[in-house]
Amino acid sequence: MEENIIKNPWSALREYTDARIGLGRTGVSLPTSKLLEFQLAHAMARDAVHLPLNIDNLLDGFANMPLELELLEKEATKGVLKEGIIPLLLHSQAVNRHVYLQRPDLGRRLNKESRKKLEELQKLDSYDLAIVIVDGLSSIAIKENAINFIHKLSKELVNDSLDWSLAPFSIVEQGRVAIGDEVGSLLNAKAVLVLIGERPGLSSPDSLGLYLTYNPKVGLNDSNRNCISNVRMEGLSYEEATKKALYLLKESRRLELSGVQIKDRTEDNETIQIKQEKNFLLN
């Protein structure tokens, strides 16, 4: 009964955010429609955590992606390219989702079979970058965003003034962010970029996170990584995420470091422009 709902004056701000503000009330309670929306969002967040990563869907995405193959023409990667682009399939030490949620430490390390697979690769050269896809806490985020982002980033890398060589792509099941360090190290990559499903929020079950580490190796902590968060259609656009990632990749390569020692300055020009405008509160 819409006529019984007392509107909240903050409701006008909902045009600018997915946050649950200005919901209104009926008596002292939430309107039924808003309560049902909350329950649906909660159910979607739970599904995002527990839904297994659809490997076949992801492989189809790679096979149909018009990727810039110049990046993968190095001699050492030819054995990986069979029919189109076939990523390496890896698994953490967490044997299933139940263990993964209770033992974060196991999600940070590869199991024996995966380590052996990487160690047996014939690495004739080092790579500038390894891209590792990890399911994390939202397989939906990977399904919706990973291929689209890789497509845009690969185009920028090919057209960049620097030459970039990519290690074979990797897909890790039941993984955490830090597992990318072990993968990058075994692939002999100078830097690793982990694409991982972020912990789902009640309005964002599909957020993709990007984590960059230079000189990856087991044992690093989060201060050694740069993070770009909330990459999705309704969040940070693929174009903007690619711009930030490329900036951090180039700075990381130039300075040979990553983490808290590198600051994302892609928005500095925009910040200066805002400062030059009048404060809207004084108008």
Side-chain angles (χ1 to χ4, degrees), residues 8-23 34 232 234-235:
N8 186 304
W10 284 40
S11 61
L13 297 178
R14 298 208 66 195
E15 180 181 351
Y16 306 103
T17 177
D18 292 331
R20 284 184 163 73
I21 60 173
L23 301 180
K34 301 303 178 187
R232 61 192 184 106
E234 294 79 13

Side-chain angles (χ1 to χ4, degrees), residues 229-246:
S229 183
N230 196 31
V231 181
R232 61 192 184 106
M233 291 293 286
E234 294 79 13
L236 188 69
S237 68
Y238 302 134
E239 291 77 12
E240 191 64 23
T242 300
K243 176 183 173 184
K244 289 177 178 292
L246 187 61

Side-chain angles (χ1 to χ4, degrees), residues 48-96:
V49 172
H50 293 285
L51 189 68
L53 182 64
N54 190 328
I55 299 293
D56 291 337
N57 181 276
L58 202 52
L59 293 178
D60 287 343
F62 269 100
N64 296 320
M65 180 171 55
L67 188 70
E68 305 296 340
L69 293 177
E70 297 169 33
L71 290 165
L72 290 164
E73 287 182 345
K74 279 199 159 190
E75 187 67 29
T77 60
K78 287 185 177 178
V80 179
L81 296 173
K82 296 175 182 176
E83 297 177 1
I85 301 166
I86 302 178
L88 300 166
L89 300 182
L90 308 172
H91 205 289
S92 75
Q93 293 180 6
V95 294
N96 55 43

Side-chain angles (χ1 to χ4, degrees), residues 178-193:
I179 205 166
D181 295 338
E182 187 171 16
V183 176
S185 175
L186 290 170
L187 284 172
N188 200 21
K190 296 174 183 173
V192 63
L193 184 66

Side-chain angles (χ1 to χ4, degrees), residues 43 70 114 125 144 160 163 182 186 193 205 221 233:
E70 297 169 33
S114 297
D125 199 356
E144 299 292 334
D160 190 54
D163 289 331
E182 187 171 16
L186 290 170
L193 184 66
N221 57 40
M233 291 293 286

Side-chain angles (χ1 to χ4, degrees), residues 240-281:
E240 191 64 23
T242 300
K243 176 183 173 184
K244 289 177 178 292
L246 187 61
Y247 174 84
L248 290 172
L249 282 168
K250 295 177 72 168
E251 281 296 280
S252 177
R253 178 169 167 174
R254 181 175 70 87
L255 300 171
E256 298 187 345
L257 48 82
S258 60
V260 295
Q261 299 178 81
I262 295 180
K263 180 174 174 55
D264 176 11
R265 297 190 180 281
T266 54
E267 296 182 356
D268 278 6
N269 292 336
E270 297 172 20
T271 303
I272 292 172
Q273 185 178 355
I274 291 171
K275 286 181 178 177
Q276 291 173 343
E277 295 175 356
K278 287 185 178 179
N279 188 329
F280 73 94
L281 293 175

